[in-house]
Amino acid sequence: MSHFRVDIRRRAEEVVALYPRPRSAMLPLLHLAQEQDGYLSDEGIAEVAELTSTTPADVRGTAAFYDMFHLAPVGKYVVGICTNIACLLAGGDELLEHASTALGCSVGGTSDDGLFTLEETECLADCNFAPCVQVNHRYVRTTTPEAFDHVVAELRAGTLDHDIPSHGTLIRVRRAGGLHASRAEVASERRVAIAARDARAEEAK
Amino acid sequence: MATLSAPRIVLSRTEFADSHTLTRYLATGGYEGLKKALTMFPEAVAAEVDQASLLGRGGAGFPAGRKWSMLRKAPISYLVVNGDESEPATFKDHLLVERDPHQLVEGCIIAAYALQVSSVYIFLRGEFALGLERVQQAVNDAYELGALGSKIFDSEFSLDIVVHPGAGAYICGEETALIEALEGKRGFPRIKPPFFPAVTGLYGEPTVVNNVETMSNLPWIISNSGAAFAALGGGRSTGTRLFALAGRVNRPGVYEIEMVKNTFRDLIYDPQLGNGVIGDKAIKAIIPGGVSAPWFGPELLDLPLGQDEVAEKGSMLGSGSIVVMDETTCVVRAAWRITKFFSRESCGQCTPCREGSGWIERAMYRMEHGGGRMEDIELLLDLCDNIAPGLTWPPQQTTICVLGPSIPSSVHSAISMFRDDFVAHVEHGGCPQ
Amino acid sequence: MTEAVRSMVTITVNGRSLEAAAGELLIEAVERAGTYVPRFCYHPRMEPVGVCRMCLVEVEGPRGATLQPACFLKVNDGMTVVTDSDKVKKAQDGVLEFLLANHPLDCPVCDKGGECPLQDQTLTHGSGETRFIEEKRHFVKPVEIGALVLLDRERCIQCARCTRFASEVAGDAQIAFAGRGDLLEVATSPTQPFDSVFSGNTVQICPVGALTARPYRFSARPWDLEQIESTCTTCAVGCRVAVQSSGNRLTRVLGVDSEPVNHGWLCDKGRFVIDSIDGNESSTDPLLASTRITTPLVRRNGAFVAVSWGDALSEAAAILRRGASNPNGVGAIGGAALTNEGAFAWERLLRGVLGTEHLDAQYGDGLDAALLQALPRATIDEASRARTVVTLTGDLREELPVLFLRLRENVVRYHRSLVEFSFGASGLTSVATVSLAVRPGEAHLVARALGDSGAGVPLGLVVGEEELQRARDLIGETGEDVVFVVGRANMAEQSAVMENALRTLAERFPRAKFLPALRRANVMGALDMGLAPQLRPGRAFASDAGRDALAQLDALRSGEQKVLVLLGGDLRGNVVDVVGATEALERAEVIVVTGHGGSTLAYADVVLPAAVQHERTGTVTNIEGRVSAVSPKIVAPGSAWPDVAIASELAEALGQSIGLGSVEEAARAIEETTSYPALSVLGDAANEGIVVGDAGARTSRRPLDPMAFPGIRSTEKVGLGAPSGATTVPRVDASSAVKPAGWDDVTAGRHVDVPLADAYSLRVHLSRRLYDDGVAVQGTPALAGLTAVTVVHLNHIDMDRLGASTGDVVTVTGARGTAHLPVALDDAVARGSTEIAFGSVDGDGHDVLRPLFDGSQVISQVRLDSK
Ligand SMILES: Cc1cc2nc3c(=O)[nH]c(=O)nc-3n(C[C@H](O)[C@H](O)[C@H](O)COP(=O)(O)O)c2cc1C
Ligand code: SF4
Ligand code: FES
């Protein structure tokens, strides 16, 4: 029934359990859906809608608010190049143009071999390595056309596979550990502590 | 030259290659602040932070201690940590989450203890793939260590931290939009009133939202006392602060320096800091605190890096990012690119912000690429005025959040400081450079 | 239940001080004082969001005067507001200019042109000149986002009215914002069209022409439309509507913002059904639902012949005389399609002239009429403000859509409680505080368990004790401020089960009130006019022994009854045992009064064409007992007559007079002989009507807000002048002649014996759908395509036992036969039962379901076998 693979579905259910309301899990779930399919497929969206008790239109509309979610298939590597102010001052536009030629795809497009999708991004918060480049949201810190070509060659050769998983995979560290106590118990402890604190504040007055 | 005698408070271990590991953290005083905090009453911890006069590092600069104590009507239910860092040319939180995630986690636990909340959500920008993994690992390690979970370090205090990934939307840095995103919705900022999440926040409950850097200061403050922190800096701007320096400088980077004791010039020119402008060119203008801030000309370079000092001159220190534009920079292009950013990142709710940003962006594009008309200069100013009436600072707003009134800052600055450049663009039929 | 009186505060607006209720929205407070603030996103029936920023005004605050949205700010004491300063004007002009920047300005080809809030405010506030020379935003022009609605994103001003309606009011966010910033757009999911039963409301409240309705598109220009206010009689909620026509063609129905009833909302069936009224001139076969019957028909040598009224009436009179010569030879079924006046006239004819006691406006699918009379009645408003609402009925979203909206609002917006007797998937389940799972044949047992906390859950029920206890807590000891909404959830279960449950609840919770959820048009009015055994006009009770509809069908089959008058043309579409009903029709002489064709007419001997809704005048009564006026917008086609006239003339043909020459005379007779409001409502047709038994509580009409409900012209004046005679509010307390049924009179539901379920079978829950194979939907081209498809719903336990999965076709065996139908997983269905939609059709458009059932048992069962 489920479109998610067994492991993704299990992780999805774990994520939902982390929040008081299922809808809160929307963004992490969409990332998971993207991890499985590389983009947000209709089936993935439907499953997120089910897990969050919302409608497909609502999930899709919410996803479309966020740049990292892709509603259509993208390349194995999504290359993002920043042209915002710091990168503009360091030649971001020129690097973007170079990348477009080097990858053989327009900005927003995907190369014919399906390997690369090129995006012009807003500031990626790595301005000391301007112009800033990310591949699948991993910083590659290649600021010159030559360095860029080198990274592209490595990506093609697969030598960066360990550092840069294919598009969609975001957090590879699984949550381990948790509160290991009933929420009700914690809440009641907290109430006692707050009451004690307020009593002390009262006294101090 | 710059005053660099202050201790490093948040960047004390970033030079180690393994600064993100628990081993390194424990070897460099990690979790001592938390252990100390747990021996204190929660309100004493809060008082220490209050005494430090730690100004929020997210942009608004509201004192953290006051946010924790004064704004609340009811006990705070949630602590939310803002790690969305998307303000252009701001990259300090990026450094903290990747290079010292345990410090952030410890800070969160201390704050949670002071506030007596039992859930913390750390909202991190989705593009921080590595940062997300490192913070999640730090949280996992902290559970393992007993610094998180039930009965932390055998105290009566229990806490859960959830790392929540964003997904690429600048507006989610605005605290109410961030809360919406945490609730799984579009990042539409909430309309005010209520003015503070501390009144109505996550799930409608009282919530404190603080920035990553703000949190990262807490272990040091508790270990070394609020007074020690307050002894640094000057005026209301106490302590050290991270400044992200970018643009046409020789050494762009994140620098931790004492506030007020140093000036913009120190930051830009000190060899240990920015080390001067590329090719020794003259500075044309600087953006003192993120692209929302009105620009400064070179005549203000000797202004101290202090919140009030910058505010007095009609701009803001904001997120602590400083962009240097030199004489080779086309200000029309710079202002156009910043407006393009706002038009992409406007959430789209408010008409003036949504339509205003798009209109100004398109008109600026015309100006830069040929097709500018003389009357466009006044038109641009009037459109700016329709978004932020009076074009004053701090701005008046016609919108729900302050992204709207931030749109005019760069265009208005560029036109009022460099009107001739605009005229030249019109006359030349595009960028003369 | 009076809401706490809100304290008053004083605010200063443009230098004048005025009184406002504390917490009231500023935009509403200043408007009452005559100061109009322009707006777009604000809508009085939804939570404010303050996004368009058109309503900015200056409000004095700690940081001086700042621009604040008047639609979002709540007034507080001492607030100082300026709405007309230069700064306000500049801000508002700025917003308007921004809104128009990307707007295509294609008004000449836009449906909204001429009644467009954006156009109107541009004319009053705009500068007339555009400074925007950039390329406008472009989107693919109208996208079909559902069967009924098209979206033109270039015209959208992102006011969020439609998306808020969908998520906040209807609770089905099938349209939602997508994207961000400059590219924020309204969108649907490619996998889920906008098929909400409320989609038309988004078209109505869209302040521009971004959302348009397929049936209305390009059909008229607003200035060519004439309008009358009326009451929708597609179902029994009785929404107030503005009916508009161009010439003698109905073009559009819009919801009127009626305070006690529909708040401006309508369901798509009520809104779009007009095409079945004057649509298909090409359809002439009387056996088709799409055919309007425009002339009297008489069967000659097996075929219909169009005849004059005179001939048809004498033919009908002859049949009735023949029938009446036998004791108990004549009976009548139906009447919900009539106005109160028509029902009154028919009652006089049938009881008075023909002397028959066998009348029934229901088809065996309702509740005992005397029992309904005995239940303390709640209004829709009471139900929508009750502390706790308990539903024992089918899916209200499908049956009484606008009532669903009102009840949902009570939970979602006012945070009150809802207990649902859950018979299967329903629109309310997701918001219900507690759902009590009920299988066919169990409602009375669950009701008993609910009333008796000591007894525990009887063995075999699916409901859990924990849920029962939560429900008991929400209802309280006496049922004070609790409303039970009661109908017939299951067409395949005899009424005795539900009637027994209702008796139990009414006795157990003496302070609770009940709101009947009967669905068919004016069924409540027809019952109040005496079209049922044991009832008399004016909500009176009489202990006679007439046959109800099912008993009449039995009597026809056995030959005891010879003649059947059908007041409404769709008997076959309304009964479960269609085989039995057909047999009865075959044996009887049948006179049908109807506006529409349909398969039942194959058995008619005389067909008398009637005017239908929007073609006639009169009064109708909705589920809460509110009597309101219906008004004609167009002239009925051909020689169709209003219902009062048909009854009167038929009486004449029988050589007698019922003394009701016109609708006004009938209304006067109703009011004078029974004190039931009729003439006084007719004389004041634009009012909210009168609730029977609650004469004091006349609600006044909200002033029309053209910004909120564009397209509706003033609703103050309607076509009918005040008729002469009584227009004062009548006394509606029962006169000595009129005694409603008391509990002792009610025999229904005293006992019920549910046979043991057979372990190899599943109990059947036949649910209702809004879009069924009845004449209204089938006669409306835009809706016919939406007719429910027959699917056998099972929960996963029964699905596993069957070894089938969703989409598989299985063999379904019922009392009368076998069919092959697809199954689908649905865990809202209780184990051991199956839910199937009554009135659904298979892939070829055939009803293969009804022929399976005979309705002879209290509950029906089917056996499923995988192929
Ligand atoms: C448009 C906008 C963007 C913002 N972006 C961020 C951000 O990326 N990170 C951040 O910490 N605060 C950001 N803020 C400020 C937050 O709303 C909030 O004031 C801050 O997180 C509070 O933390 P602090 O008190 O520790 O500074 C932003 C505010 C606005 C209006
Ligand atoms: S709910 Fe009923 S009365 Fe209201 S519009 Fe729909 S069909 Fe008509
Ligand atoms: S913001 Fe008030 S009407 Fe839209």
Side-chain angles (χ1 to χ4, degrees), chain B residues 373-390:
Chain B
R373 310 165 304 170
M374 261 338 153
E375 68 257 40
D376 285 331
I377 302 176
E378 295 317 310
L379 173 67
L380 283 165
L381 285 176
D382 192 53
L383 296 178
C384 288
D385 187 77
N386 281 344
I387 301 174

Side-chain angles (χ1 to χ4, degrees), chain B residues 4-18:
Chain B
L4 302 176
S5 55
R8 287 187 158 202
I9 292 177
V10 292
L11 294 190
S12 65
R13 54 185 81 73
T14 42
E15 68 232 36
F16 298 108
D18 62 351

Side-chain angles (χ1 to χ4, degrees), chain C residues 64 124 251 392-393 416 442 486 540 565 567 619 645 756 776:
Chain C
T124 25
T251 46
L392 287 90
T393 182
R416 303 199 179 93
E442 286 181 0
V486 299
V565 179
L567 301 172
T619 63
L756 276 182

Side-chain angles (χ1 to χ4, degrees), chain B residues 86-264:
Chain B
S86 313
E87 179 78 23
T90 309
F91 47 107
K92 62 190 182 71
D93 295 343
H94 173 201
L95 184 73
L96 291 175
V97 299
E98 258 184 30
R99 305 302 305 283
D100 209 341
H102 274 288
Q103 176 172 267
L104 170 64
V105 169
E106 185 183 353
C108 294
I109 307 170
I110 292 171
Y113 177 70
L115 292 162
Q116 287 295 311
V117 304
S118 51
S119 304
V120 175
Y121 293 96
I122 302 182
F123 185 103
L124 290 182
R125 182 172 182 180
E127 290 91 338
F128 290 164
L130 182 61
L132 280 158
E133 292 185 341
R134 292 223 167 133
V135 176
Q136 183 62 63
Q137 187 59 52
V139 166
N140 290 352
D141 293 347
Y143 276 113
E144 180 87 30
L145 183 71
L148 264 180
S150 43
K151 313 253 182 255
I152 292 176
F153 291 147
D154 297 325
S155 71
E156 285 302 303
F157 182 60
S158 305
L159 179 68
D160 197 20
I161 293 186
V162 172
V163 181
H164 189 94
Y170 163 68
I171 193 60
C172 291
E174 199 275 350
E175 56 193 8
T176 59
L178 183 143
I179 288 172
E180 290 283 299
L182 252 180
E183 291 185 4
K185 304 177 191 156
R186 293 161 197 78
F188 282 164
R190 291 181 180 172
I191 190 168
K192 291 89 190 164
F195 287 97
F196 300 101
V199 179
T200 311
L202 188 58
Y203 309 122
E205 293 186 41
T207 301
V208 161
V209 182
N210 270 132
N211 169 261
V212 160
E213 184 188 344
T214 314
M215 287 293 108
S216 298
N217 275 292
L218 297 177
W220 192 95
I221 291 176
I222 297 307
S223 295
N224 297 277
S225 88
F229 189 86
L232 301 168
R236 265 196 341 126
S237 306
T238 59
T240 61
R241 171 161 195 180
L242 296 185
F243 289 97
L245 181 64
R248 308 289 304 165
V249 291
N250 288 316
R251 287 185 74 223
V254 176
Y255 300 107
E256 178 172 3
I257 55 176
E258 231 176 319
M259 294 176 84
V260 184
K261 302 263 170 69
N262 291 293
T263 64
F264 286 99

Side-chain angles (χ1 to χ4, degrees), chain C residues 27 38-42 50-55 69-72:
Chain C
I27 202 168
R39 76 284 303 261
F40 289 110
C41 65
Y42 167 76
V51 295
C52 76
R53 315 305 283 181
M54 188 64 198
C55 67
C71 73
F72 191 81

